[in-house]
Amino acid sequence: MADFSVLIGGKAGEGINQAASLIAHLLNRLGWRIYVYLDYPSLIRGGHNFAIIRASEKKIAVHRDKIDVLLALNQDTVDLHKHRLKDNSLIVYDSDTVKSKGSGLPLEKMIKEEGGSAIMRNSCIIGAFCRAAGIKQDILEEVFKKHIPREADLNIKIALRGYNETEESLALPAISQAPFSLFTGNEAIGLGLIKAGLKSYIAYPMTPSSGVLHFLAGLSKEFSLKVVHPESEISVILMALGFAYCGEKAAVGTSGGGFCLMNEGLSLAGMAELPVVIVMGQRPGPSTGVPTYTAQADLNFVLNAGHGEFVRLVTAPGDAEEACYWSAVALNIAWKYQIPCFVLTDKTLNEATFSFEASAVDSVKEEPPLLWDKDGDYKRYLNTETGVSPLAFVPRKGAVIKASSYEHDDYGITTEDPATITSSYDKRLRKEKYLAQDLEKYRAVKAYGNPSAECAVVCWGSNKGVCVEAAEKLGLKVIQPLVLSPFPLKQFSEALKGAKKVICVENNATGMLAGLMSARGLKVDKMILKYDGRPFSLDELESRLGEAMR
């Protein structure tokens, strides 16, 4: 068995996410590589939540449509997912509330008898899954003790009740490889920012990037982080710019609607040359859209946000390792060039759980910024060859440190003199030339699959996982740009060599990356687009690529 999928579903408020995490850790403990897809409506309670936990012998980053085990806490889970079942799929369900074929357990009755609460039905059904899958009791107890923060003993007792009242039927084997850590994309972003010297993280909670806020808040004492939740996104970015003015590396997190409110602050960062990292998690819009689902429809917004012209870095990682690495790179580059840098993600990447291979993360360390040498008068906006001016931070004796939103001279004194305006404008824009040269040191474009294939699939963000796996099966080449501004044209063109047909795969309705490529003279033959809020499954993309290649 090389591939195995479990779906657990129930109502919002029934702890589906926690249950999915426990199942993922159980399978991870057996040596399987893990990917977890979460699907939930924007409700505190009710509705239908589900998670698909896929385990594989090799590293994966996408779910499949068909499942091997269905764990049903409510009737919706059986009714809405029957199309996913195989002939031999196992269904384990709560017979107190669900009518189905398969293995039913009276979870409510069993919980009451063990003295537990309703939320612990999850533990009971996971215990039943473990027995059905042949997972040993000691592994169940080990994982529960490690990953349940409260009432672990009672949860284990209830899980063992489910375990003992179920028969083994799947005999899921252990894989002879060491487990990796499991991280969500949001957690990987947080780790990357810490690695590059983050001191302050400011955010107003907004799906799908809220997980970064929660993760870093949990680590704030360990890493001496300031993690702040102000009253609005306007305050978020202005607070981050204030930290940067004082010399503290700061990042913010948001989604499309929140980022709208940050645009004035973004332009201020461009004019005042204040470094900041913006984690922008995409979800369907416009406006509120469908806020707990996924999309890649904010690329043009991020590339063009803010008034006036200023340099920015936009990076779009595709999995947890890349999210960690490029978040660190973004923070380093923000401070090296004193510009805003984006980590552009989507709900699928932000909230999915991945087997995190630390050794696969390219080495990246905190880079010190260019500092004032205290020689002569301090000019905050000294006009240099690269456009990057030496930094000094308040309180610095002997230095007047300006941060101006108005056009200004080298000292930061406001001006409306035409020659000074032009000179200062050129200084700021000149950074892009040196940033583009700097990016040649990085793998800003990656290629996968068959290097001699005449058909190339181009994708960005979380579509990397599904495209790479589908391309391996179909014998195609995959090209993934990780930096979208400044666009790495040289690396991209090199990766595209030999391709006679180019298919662009995106989660938006208009083909934003395809448009970006076309604007640079790169031909796109076909687009495979999806914009219903759901990511491509492996089965779906294989089918659509097959159609596109005819």
Side-chain angles (χ1 to χ4, degrees), residues 470-482:
E472 283 177 359
K473 184 173 181 179
L474 299 172
L476 307 178
K477 175 194 290 188
V478 175
I479 300 171
Q480 176 208 12
L482 284 134

Side-chain angles (χ1 to χ4, degrees), residues 1-317:
M1 183 181 293
D3 203 274
F4 184 84
S5 292
V6 181
L7 187 151
I8 183 166
K11 297 176 184 176
E14 290 186 329
I16 298 301
N17 288 4
Q18 173 68 13
S21 176
L22 283 170
I23 295 169
H25 279 101
L26 283 161
L27 297 173
N28 184 56
R29 175 65 177 74
L30 296 178
W32 294 83
R33 300 300 180 238
I34 304 298
Y35 174 79
V36 181
Y37 165 66
L38 298 178
D39 190 301
Y40 59 97
S42 182
L43 296 170
I44 302 298
R45 300 191 69 84
H48 177 58
N49 284 23
F50 71 93
I52 297 176
I53 305 98
R54 183 180 171 211
S56 173
E57 292 177 346
K58 62 178 185 178
K59 203 146 182 312
I60 49 172
V62 62
H63 70 283
R64 303 200 70 132
D65 287 335
K66 295 296 182 181
I67 57 173
D68 299 279
V69 178
L70 181 68
L71 304 178
L73 292 170
N74 67 356
Q75 190 66 45
D76 278 353
T77 303
V78 173
D79 295 343
L80 296 175
H81 299 287
K82 54 188 175 187
H83 65 286
R84 300 181 184 275
L85 298 173
K86 304 174 183 176
D87 292 339
N88 60 348
S89 294
L90 171 67
I91 304 174
V92 181
Y93 61 94
D94 181 355
S95 60
D96 286 331
T97 60
V98 179
K99 291 183 179 178
S100 174
K101 63 179 183 179
S103 177
L105 294 173
L107 298 185
E108 185 175 341
K109 176 175 174 289
M110 293 163 69
I111 299 298
K112 282 184 179 177
E113 290 174 356
E114 300 297 335
S117 57
I119 194 73
M120 294 176 182
R121 290 193 306 149
N122 279 324
S123 296
C124 197
I125 206 166
I126 291 173
F129 161 71
C130 287
R131 180 62 177 272
I135 298 173
K136 293 181 180 177
Q137 182 177 322
D138 59 337
I139 293 178
L140 182 157
E141 294 183 21
E142 173 192 323
V143 170
F144 270 54
K145 283 180 181 173
K146 186 173 181 180
H147 297 286
I148 295 183
R150 290 183 296 180
E151 299 188 283
D153 290 341
L154 181 55
N155 276 285
I156 290 171
K157 180 182 175 187
I158 288 171
L160 292 179
R161 178 75 184 273
Y163 190 95
N164 292 327
E165 297 196 15
T166 307
E167 295 182 358
E168 185 173 327
S169 56
L170 297 174
L172 187 64
I175 306 295
S176 57
Q177 54 188 2
F180 287 149
S181 299
L182 297 183
F183 281 110
T184 65
N186 278 330
E187 290 168 340
I189 290 167
L191 287 178
L193 291 171
I194 290 172
K195 196 174 179 63
L198 183 78
K199 296 300 179 190
S200 304
Y201 186 80
I202 309 101
Y204 186 88
M206 197 163 187
T207 305
S209 62
S210 301
V212 183
L213 176 68
H214 301 153
F215 179 70
L216 290 177
L219 296 178
S220 58
K221 290 183 181 177
E222 187 176 348
F223 291 95
S224 299
L225 296 172
K226 298 182 186 70
V227 180
V228 187
H229 167 189
E231 74 278 12
S232 73
E233 283 87 351
I234 297 172
S235 299
V236 165
I237 194 160
L238 294 180
M239 193 175 284
L241 299 184
F243 278 122
Y245 173 71
C246 297
E248 286 210 357
K249 294 186 175 181
V252 306
T254 188
S255 185
F259 182 57
C260 285
L261 298 173
M262 293 183 179
N263 270 229
E264 178 69 26
L266 176 68
S267 294
L268 172 58
M271 174 59 93
E273 302 183 54
L274 290 167
V276 63
V277 169
I278 301 162
V279 180
M280 237 295 283
Q282 298 166 98
R283 63 192 203 189
S287 192
T288 305
V290 271
T292 59
Y293 288 88
T294 199
Q296 295 181 310
D298 291 335
L299 173 57
N300 290 342
F301 183 26
V302 166
L303 290 173
N304 298 290
H307 53 287
E309 300 163 285
F310 54 93
V311 179
R312 70 197 72 192
L313 172 78
V314 179
T315 177

Side-chain angles (χ1 to χ4, degrees), residues 510-531:
T510 54
M512 293 184 176
L513 176 58
L516 195 62
M517 290 168 58
S518 298
R520 284 153 181 79
L522 301 167
K523 182 185 175 188
V524 175
D525 297 287
K526 288 198 175 183
M527 294 189 289
I528 296 178
L529 306 177
K530 186 174 185 181
Y531 40 94

Side-chain angles (χ1 to χ4, degrees), residues 325-346:
Y325 175 74
W326 282 99
S327 296
V329 171
L331 190 54
N332 277 335
I333 286 180
W335 279 80
K336 184 172 184 178
Y337 291 93
Q338 300 164 32
I339 58 172
C341 292
F342 290 87
V343 180
L344 183 60
T345 61
D346 51 62

Side-chain angles (χ1 to χ4, degrees), residues 425-478:
Y425 213 110
D426 288 343
K427 166 201 170 339
R428 292 190 295 272
L429 292 183
R430 200 157 56 239
K431 296 177 185 179
E432 181 161 317
K433 170 186 169 185
Y434 293 93
L435 172 57
Q437 291 176 0
D438 219 1
L439 287 171
E440 288 297 318
K441 297 187 303 188
Y442 299 89
R443 293 177 67 198
V445 178
K446 290 184 179 177
Y448 304 88
N450 180 3
S452 58
E454 294 186 348
C455 182
V457 177
V458 179
C459 62
W460 60 288
S462 66
N463 279 331
K464 169 195 172 179
V466 64
C467 286
V468 169
E469 194 167 345
E472 283 177 359
K473 184 173 181 179
L474 299 172
L476 307 178
K477 175 194 290 188
V478 175

Side-chain angles (χ1 to χ4, degrees), residues 347-369:
K347 186 260 184 184
T348 306
L349 172 61
N350 286 98
E351 297 190 343
T353 298
F354 303 82
S355 290
F356 184 81
E357 188 177 2
S359 62
V361 179
D362 292 336
S363 176
V364 58
K365 296 180 180 177
E366 180 180 2
E367 295 180 14

